[in-house]
């Protein structure tokens, strides 16, 4: 192909991109032509003010007549050219190239705590908001993925804390404690967070089960504008949260409040309605537009031994407490099991008058599935742990008198990964018992749901929560079996997403189970710039006296105070990247379904450089696109950065600290960096977790150039970042140090935002009208007595150009003096 080039720059040439005819000036690249026509081509190393270099390799396109893809930023547009920007081959090449970039990207996009959360709750984000005192905003962030912050802040199994990097230093952050703080403070606030409900869809959804899965599904369906109707078999909603977790861990007023918040969204609740007894699945499918099954695992498992009076299951025991039934226990109670239900049953038995409670578990303490904090609290309350023991016979005739157990040894690991318990012959012993509570397993009551059952549980696609019946979805314990409440909530939310797609007639596609994230693997304590600071202890009721006593189910954990919460929040290491919401590399990875690098030992490790006053450098995140080096040289002219070919890295010129180079602190390098390798060196917790922020375009007031800037503000209207719209205004996207980083005075606590008038020797706030009248009176008196040159005006560069113009006009034309100046010491 020998395309004809125009003879004059004023001529236009014609080419075709993705089937569209485009006329363009002759001196443009294919990438420039595509972007000007609104055709997006992936790119990481391109910037409008820079000469292209093609280092990222993502802008590859197919040009008719060329044997291989070419980089659009390096290819000149010529007449007659036919270009394709998308194809399976191009997608595969872009994915391959992105994965090459991630192969040397030693960084966390998302904090490990969030990655470990089954509900994908942004723990780092809400901890940052709590550190700033923004509890309402923290609740808003939490409720994006979990409508029960006060509940889960008390009862979660805390996988986030197990993943917390702070544990490499000393103790993990009290993530759940802090979630509870935000929820409790918001609950007591006159300005509580209320989510916005979408326009009504006119669709009704039947939800079977008022536990955490069903209520979470109802919450997110209501936000989408649908009308959920919750059918609950028991007298009150909550499922195992109400009837399986005692009030000393979860006060019922907390549960009632958060359920009430869900019902206020327009969710209808019908209690005393059981599937298979009061209605059928076929009836729901006929009467409603979709059905969600959130059946709880509230059927207990038996020991498989001949039973005697005085024996009950753990879930039945806890449900009876939740229903307020009278329960008579003897002096000696044995609980069998090692999970949270067993611990709750043991601690509840003490509160119902048992003098001695023994917990029998067939494995060791390390293998107990109950949370270690709950085990420790049980020990504080004098629950006896009989570990490596298993009941083999119930002793008694007309009523239980004892439990014969056998000692166990641990053999090879079983399917669960835990060592298999094996009985030791001849090691039998008897434990005195008036009651035995078996907390060894749970199941669901699938009556009425047989058409979607497979074995003991509902069969549903784990990605979409859809069953084999069209329009019927299931999640939570109904699908997984007994599990943590946070997993049930995550399942309910995922199901709500699929149900909304179904109701809109869309293809049911699963959302990401976890956010895309590079992971900073192989990290050691030495890699963390943190001084030791122990975790703030949770205040609790004293184990003896204040906690125990017949019928005393007062909450044991008392909660953090405000200052304690802030101290604990400030322990956070902020592992997740400050640019996680708008990192070009991460977004490219998500779009092209790339996989982050996993060979952490092969990645280069650098210590982040925070020595510069405005620029924080983290070379671990650099992809060597060289945009920072080129903009510093070609646009700013400072030459403070240089590309070192031997090391394939960008570093400060001369390998000296960046602050000692000719850097002018303009931040242009920060503005063009496609990753978090160069960001503002700001105070801790400056990232805005609630995304997207409000962005307001305005004119910089620091000088008379009139640069266009964008102010990024949080929910309280506080500026936390300044950018420049690319290619707009006289600055064309460039900013100086003051324009980009000089915004901190806006939120400074010493900034005057109301007039002050001296009264009685002290400056006190006054209305603007009173202040202006006083100034007018004083100025008039001074000018009358001493002439206009006795007055002078000094303005600030932090005022707008318009303000400064009016200020000098006032002094020259009204006061009658040229004694006016401008303070440029900023």
């Amino acid at each position: 192909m020998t395309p004809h080039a125009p003879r004059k720059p004023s001529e236009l040439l014609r080419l075709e991109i993705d089937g569209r005819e485009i006329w363009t000036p002759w001196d443009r690249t294919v990438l420039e032509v595509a972007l000007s026509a609104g055709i997006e081509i992936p790119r990481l190393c391109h910037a409008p003010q820079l000469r292209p270099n093609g280092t990222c390799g993502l802008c590859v396109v197919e040009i008719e007549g060329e044997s291989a893809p070419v980089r659009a930023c390096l290819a000149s547009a010529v007449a007659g050219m036919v270009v394709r920007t998308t194809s399976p081959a191009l997608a595969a090449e872009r994915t391959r190239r992105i994965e090459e970039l991630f192969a040397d990207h030693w960084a966390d996009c998302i904090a490990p705590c969030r990655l470990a959360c089954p509900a994908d709750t942004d723990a780092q984000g809400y901890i940052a908001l709590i550190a700033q005192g923004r509890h309402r905003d923290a609740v808003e962030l939490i409720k994006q993925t979990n409508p029960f912050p006060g509940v889960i802040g008390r009862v979660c199994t805390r996988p986030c804390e197990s993943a917390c990097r702070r544990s490499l230093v000393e103790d993990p952050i009290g993530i759940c404690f802090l979630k509870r703080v935000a929820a409790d403070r918001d609950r007591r606030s006159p300005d509580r967070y209320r989510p916005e409900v979408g326009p009504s869809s006119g669709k009704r959804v039947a939800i079977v089960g008022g536990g955490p899965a069903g209520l979470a599904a109802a919450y997110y369906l209501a936000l989408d504008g649908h009308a959920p109707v919750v059918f609950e078999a028991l007298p009150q909603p909550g499922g195992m949260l109400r009837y399986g977790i005692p009030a000393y861990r979860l006060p019922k007023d907390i549960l009632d409040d958060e359920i009430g918040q869900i019902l206020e969204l327009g969710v209808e609740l019908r209690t005393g309605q059981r599937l298979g007894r009061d209605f059928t699945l076929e009836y729901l499918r006929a009467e409603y537009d979709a059905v969600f099954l959130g059946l709880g695992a509230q059927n207990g498992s038996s020991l498989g031994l001949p039973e005697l009076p005085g024996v009950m299951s753990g879930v039945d025991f806890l449900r009876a407490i939740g229903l307020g039934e009278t329960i008579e226990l003897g002096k000696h109670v044995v609980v069998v099991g090692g999970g949270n239900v067993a611990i709750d049953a043991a601690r509840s038995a003490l509160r119902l008058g048992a003098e001695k409670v023994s917990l029998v578990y067939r494995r060791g303490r390390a293998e107990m599935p109950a949370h270690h904090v709950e085990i420790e609290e049980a020990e504080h309350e004098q629950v006896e742990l009989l570990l490596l023991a298993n009941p083999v016979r119930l002793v008694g005739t007309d009523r239980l008198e004892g439990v014969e157990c056998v000692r166990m040894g641990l053999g090879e690991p079983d399917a669960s990964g835990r060592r298999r318990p094996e009985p030791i012959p001849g090691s039998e012993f008897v434990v005195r018992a008036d009651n035995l509570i078996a907390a060894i397993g749970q199941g669901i009551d699938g009556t009425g749901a047989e058409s979607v059952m497979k074995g003991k549980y509902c069969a549903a696609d784990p990605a979409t929560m859809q069953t084999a019946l069209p329009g019927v979805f299931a999640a939570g314990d109904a699908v997984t079996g007994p599990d943590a409440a946070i997993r049930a909530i995550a399942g309910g939310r995922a199901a709500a997403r699929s149900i909304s797609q179904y109701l809109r007639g869309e293809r049911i596609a699963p959302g990401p189970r976890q956010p895309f994230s590079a992971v900073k693997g192989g990290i050691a304590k030495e890699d963390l710039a943190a001084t030791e600071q122990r975790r703030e202890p949770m205040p609790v009721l004293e184990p003896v006296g204040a906690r125990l006593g017949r019928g005393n189910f007062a909450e044991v954990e008392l909660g953090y105070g405000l200052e304690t919460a802030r101290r604990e929040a400030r322990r956070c290491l902020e592992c997740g990247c400050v640019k996680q919401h708008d990192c070009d590399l991460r977004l490219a990875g998500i779009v092209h379904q790339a996989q982050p690098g996993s060979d952490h030992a092969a990645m280069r490790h650098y210590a982040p450089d925070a020595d510069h006053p405005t620029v924080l450098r983290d070379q671990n995140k650099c992809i060597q696109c060289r945009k920072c080096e080129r903009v510093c040289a070609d646009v700013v002219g400072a030459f403070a950065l240089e590309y070192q070919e031997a090391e394939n890295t960008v570093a400060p010129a001369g390998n000296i600290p960046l602050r000692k180079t000719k850097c002018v602190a303009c931040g242009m390098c920060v503005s063009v960096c496609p990753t978090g390798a160069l960001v503002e060196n700001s105070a801790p917790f400056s990232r805005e977790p609630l995304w997207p922020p409000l962005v307001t375009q305005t004119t910089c007031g620091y000088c008379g150039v009139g640069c266009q800037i964008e102010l990024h503000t949080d929910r309280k209207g506080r500026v936390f970042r300044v950018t420049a719209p690319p290619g707009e205004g006289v600055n064309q996207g460039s900013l100086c140090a003051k324009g980009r980083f000089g915004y901190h005075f806006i939120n400074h606590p010493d900034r005057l935002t109301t007039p002050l008038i001296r009264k009685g020797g002290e400056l006190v706030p006054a209305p603007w009208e009173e202040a202006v009248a006083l100034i007018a009176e004083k100025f008039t008196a001074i000018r009358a007595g001493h002439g206009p040159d006795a007055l002078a005006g000094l303005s600030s560069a932090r005022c707008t150009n318009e303000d400064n113009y009016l200020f000098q006009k006032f002094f020259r034309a009204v006061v009658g003096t040229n004694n006016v100046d401008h303070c440029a010491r900023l």
Side-chain angles (χ1 to χ4, degrees), residues 56-379:
C56 75
L58 294 191
C59 68
V60 287
V61 296
E62 294 172 343
I63 298 178
E64 196 171 276
E66 297 290 340
S67 60
V70 299
R71 301 187 180 190
C73 68
L74 301 178
S76 297
V78 295
M81 181 179 280
V82 178
V83 181
R84 286 184 298 275
T85 67
T86 59
S87 72
L90 291 175
E93 172 60 18
R94 289 165 182 159
T95 299
R96 182 196 66 80
R97 180 58 183 140
I98 292 168
E99 290 182 347
E100 281 185 352
L101 297 175
F102 273 114
D104 193 29
H105 194 73
W106 195 54
D108 294 303
C109 298
I110 303 298
C113 53
R114 180 178 175 185
L115 293 176
C117 177
D120 184 28
T121 302
D122 185 0
Q124 178 185 340
Y126 72 72
I127 288 172
L129 292 168
I130 292 169
Q132 299 172 37
R134 297 167 56 190
H135 299 94
R136 184 184 188 277
D137 289 345
V139 169
E140 178 182 353
L141 182 60
I142 295 166
K143 285 196 171 185
Q144 290 179 3
T145 54
N146 168 19
F148 292 101
V151 169
I152 296 301
R154 288 167 165 83
V155 306
C156 193
T157 52
R158 311 175 195 179
C160 53
E161 295 183 16
S162 299
C164 179
R165 289 259 174 79
R166 186 83 204 192
S167 60
L168 294 175
V169 183
E170 5 65 1
D171 310 310
I173 306 296
I175 298 174
C176 271
F177 293 165
L178 292 172
K179 185 189 285 103
R180 167 183 170 166
V181 168
D184 288 354
R185 289 190 65 83
D186 184 66
R187 187 174 62 255
R188 295 190 294 265
S189 169
D191 181 30
R192 296 192 66 175
Y193 168 67
R194 294 286 194 278
E196 292 186 11
V197 176
S200 174
S201 68
K203 304 291 185 180
R204 299 169 72 229
V205 181
I207 295 178
V208 182
L215 291 171
Y219 178 84
Y220 293 106
L221 286 168
L223 294 184
D224 275 350
H226 311 306
V229 180
V230 177
F231 295 84
E232 169 55 47
L234 291 171
Q236 290 181 278
M240 289 297 287
L241 295 175
R242 183 180 301 278
Y243 298 109
I245 299 178
Y248 67 82
R249 286 181 58 204
L250 177 57
K252 301 316 168 192
D253 62 325
I254 302 296
L255 178 62
D256 290 338
D257 176 81
E258 295 195 332
I259 293 176
Q261 294 278 292
I262 296 174
L263 299 181
E264 285 181 8
L265 301 178
V267 175
E268 182 182 346
L269 173 65
R270 300 181 186 179
T271 57
Q273 298 288 303
R274 183 183 296 275
L275 177 64
R277 183 190 70 187
D278 302 298
F279 57 87
T280 64
L281 185 56
E282 290 71 23
Y283 164 80
L284 296 180
R285 294 184 68 201
E287 292 294 318
Y288 293 85
D289 298 291
V291 179
F292 173 75
L293 300 176
L295 310 173
Q298 297 195 32
N299 285 357
S301 301
S302 71
L303 289 171
L305 301 174
E307 294 193 356
L308 291 170
V311 177
M312 67 193 85
S313 76
V315 289
D316 289 342
F317 174 63
L318 295 175
R319 185 188 306 114
I321 295 173
L323 289 168
E325 297 177 358
T326 300
I327 304 173
E328 296 294 336
L329 294 179
K331 294 182 179 180
H332 300 270
V333 175
V334 169
V335 178
V336 181
N340 283 329
V341 171
I343 296 292
D344 284 340
R347 297 177 69 186
S348 295
L350 289 172
R351 287 162 171 78
L352 292 178
E355 294 181 2
K356 182 178 181 181
V357 176
S358 302
L359 190 144
V360 177
Y361 181 57
R362 59 183 184 159
R363 289 185 168 95
R365 181 187 178 115
E367 289 79 27
M368 291 181 72
H371 196 275
H372 70 90
V373 171
E374 300 304 319
I375 301 171
E376 292 167 4
E377 292 300 326
E379 289 182 306

Side-chain angles (χ1 to χ4, degrees), residues 489-807:
I489 290 168
R493 174 168 162 257
R497 183 181 187 276
S498 295
I499 292 171
S500 284
Q501 292 174 331
Y502 171 78
L503 295 177
R504 291 192 294 264
E506 300 171 356
R507 183 178 71 88
I508 300 175
R513 301 299 296 172
Q514 290 289 355
F516 176 96
S517 180
V519 176
K520 202 171 189 176
I523 195 167
K525 178 180 179 179
E526 294 70 30
D527 298 312
L528 302 173
T531 57
E532 185 169 322
Q533 181 184 351
R534 306 299 301 192
R535 174 171 168 154
E536 294 288 338
M538 169 60 73
V540 296
L541 292 176
E542 290 297 324
V544 179
R547 290 192 196 182
L548 303 181
R550 191 170 186 85
N552 182 6
F553 279 80
E555 186 173 17
V556 169
E557 294 181 342
L558 303 179
Y560 281 161
L562 181 58
E563 288 307 314
T564 303
R566 285 184 174 174
R567 284 197 303 271
E568 183 63 20
R570 289 173 185 140
R571 295 180 60 239
C572 177
L573 299 174
E574 297 190 272
C575 302
C577 182
V578 71
K579 286 192 67 174
Q580 60 184 253
H581 293 299
D582 56 351
C583 170
D584 295 339
L585 177 62
R586 180 175 179 240
L587 293 175
I590 293 171
V591 169
H592 291 86
Q593 300 181 338
Q595 294 298 315
S598 57
D599 188 359
H600 306 293
M603 297 178 184
R604 293 180 292 181
H605 296 186
Y606 300 89
D609 178 11
D611 184 59
H612 193 279
T614 58
V615 178
L616 172 64
R617 296 176 58 249
D618 188 348
Q619 201 68 5
N620 299 296
K621 302 176 183 179
C622 180
I623 59 171
Q624 292 81 46
C625 68
R626 300 179 59 181
K627 288 166 73 174
C628 58
E629 171 235 352
R630 291 186 294 140
V631 79
C632 186
D634 299 345
V635 177
V636 181
F639 298 91
L641 296 168
E642 65 181 15
Y643 176 66
Q644 299 177 347
E645 188 170 358
E647 298 293 330
N648 187 26
T649 189
V650 176
N655 283 323
I656 61 176
L658 181 60
R659 63 181 174 84
K660 293 184 178 181
T661 65
K662 294 182 179 180
C663 173
V664 295
C666 64
M668 285 297 292
C669 57
V670 172
S671 70
V672 299
C673 181
T675 70
L678 292 165
V679 296
E680 180 181 353
N681 191 7
S682 54
F685 307 111
S686 60
R687 175 175 74 89
E688 173 55 22
L690 290 164
W691 203 265
L694 177 64
V695 179
T696 303
Q697 186 166 337
T698 185
T699 302
C700 181
Y702 267 104
C703 72
V705 171
C707 295
Q708 294 301 292
I709 61 173
E710 296 169 325
L711 301 179
H712 297 241
T713 53
D714 62 25
R715 295 299 195 275
K716 293 186 179 296
R718 292 181 293 195
V719 177
F720 68 90
R721 185 167 70 174
V722 175
T723 56
E728 294 188 23
V730 294
N731 51 319
Q732 292 289 294
S734 299
L735 286 177
C736 69
K738 293 173 183 176
R740 189 178 305 280
F741 301 123
Y743 63 87
H744 297 284
F745 78 91
I746 299 172
N747 303 325
H748 197 283
D750 294 339
R751 184 185 178 202
L752 297 180
T753 56
T754 57
L756 299 177
I757 288 179
R758 192 173 300 279
K759 294 182 178 179
E762 294 184 1
L763 289 172
V764 295
W768 281 100
E769 294 81 1
E770 181 182 355
V772 171
L774 178 63
I775 291 171
E777 176 188 341
K778 297 293 187 182
F779 275 22
T780 301
I782 293 171
R783 188 175 66 168
H786 304 282
D789 286 336
L791 294 167
L794 187 65
S795 182
S796 169
R798 287 173 176 166
C799 297
T800 65
N801 294 337
E802 293 80 5
D803 288 339
N804 279 323
Y805 173 80
L806 291 174
F807 185 83

